[in-house]
Amino acid sequence: MAPLTDDKRTELLVSALKLFAAYGFDGVGVQQIVEAAGVTKPTLYHYFGSKQGLLEALLDEQLGPLHEALTRAAVYHHDLPLNLSEIARAVFVFARSRPDLYRFHLSLWFAPEQSDAYKVAVRFHERSFAVLEKLFREAARDHGNMKGRHRAYAATFLGMLNNYVSLGLNSYAALNDALVHQSVHQFMHGIFS
């Protein structure tokens, strides 16, 4: 029997992402994943313990760079439009570079609340939301009309960005600097009007 290698683990992650992006988490079985990766079920269970463990590892490893970029962009330096521009740019760049991953990530926002996929993904959604919520809480100290609205602003801005990404992934918009500017202008106009 051939020894297990990190290559097999990587191939499982790559194959799972392709299948999840195409058919959704619940639309893919373990057998499909292992066949696509060219391994056996025991190999998947060795590395991840379960299909849910595979999903958790996939999101943890592959969404990590997005979270790091969001965290860097959200360090508040008393210039909210600049922060929002950096956040939008980070999201758009990531979505352009990893369209299958981001499409799958978006689908998990709307997974049924009691599903295994939602239970795994909610931690990643909350992490992104918390970064934005913290930014708006800090910005409220400079902008009195924002006080007490940090949760709503975080949800609205993140939702707007994700909607623009979905338009971009479906070829209805270009995820570029012009859209970054438009997004931030639209959002800032709304919160200060």
Side-chain angles (χ1 to χ4, degrees):
M1 184 164 148
L4 296 177
T5 65
D6 285 342
D7 291 345
K8 289 182 180 186
R9 183 182 187 282
T10 299
E11 189 55 39
L12 280 163
L13 290 167
V14 168
S15 297
L17 176 58
K18 285 179 185 172
L19 290 166
F20 292 159
Y23 303 105
F25 180 79
D26 291 328
V28 177
V30 169
Q31 187 62 40
Q32 288 173 277
I33 297 168
V34 298
E35 285 176 5
V39 300
T40 62
K41 285 183 182 181
T43 302
L44 183 143
Y45 297 133
H46 167 77
Y47 285 115
F48 305 108
S50 65
K51 182 179 160 189
Q52 291 77 18
L54 172 62
L55 175 61
E56 188 162 354
L58 176 74
L59 296 178
D60 194 41
E61 293 171 24
Q62 298 197 21
L63 288 178
L66 174 61
H67 181 70
E68 291 167 12
L70 289 176
T71 301
R72 281 190 306 274
V75 174
Y76 186 57
H77 297 289
H78 305 281
D79 186 346
L80 185 58
L82 177 63
N83 282 108
L84 297 180
S85 294
E86 290 175 358
I87 288 167
R89 190 170 292 107
V91 168
F92 292 172
V93 165
F94 188 85
R96 279 195 325 256
S97 70
R98 303 294 312 274
D100 285 348
L101 176 61
Y102 211 94
R103 183 180 298 278
F104 178 54
H105 172 61
L106 286 176
S107 76
L108 294 173
W109 279 91
F110 303 102
E113 187 176 16
Q114 296 305 312
S115 69
D116 291 332
Y118 182 82
K119 290 174 185 175
V120 171
V122 70
R123 174 171 66 93
F124 299 93
H125 301 324
E126 288 173 351
R127 196 165 75 168
S128 296
F129 183 80
V131 167
L132 292 179
E133 187 177 13
K134 180 178 183 263
L135 169 65
F136 285 112
R137 189 179 299 110
E138 291 173 357
R141 292 185 210 133
D142 293 342
H143 306 283
N145 64 327
M146 292 176 59
K147 284 193 185 351
R149 299 180 185 174
H150 54 277
R151 291 186 62 77
Y153 290 150
T156 303
F157 190 65
L158 188 56
M160 182 181 70
L161 292 180
N162 282 335
N163 278 313
Y164 278 132
V165 167
S166 70
L167 289 172
L169 293 177
N170 291 313
S171 302
Y172 293 111
L175 300 175
N176 57 23
D177 278 343
L179 190 57
V180 166
H181 176 75
Q182 177 186 327
S183 303
V184 173
H185 179 75
Q186 174 186 345
F187 185 79
M188 293 300 294
H189 179 74
I191 66 174
F192 287 136
S193 62

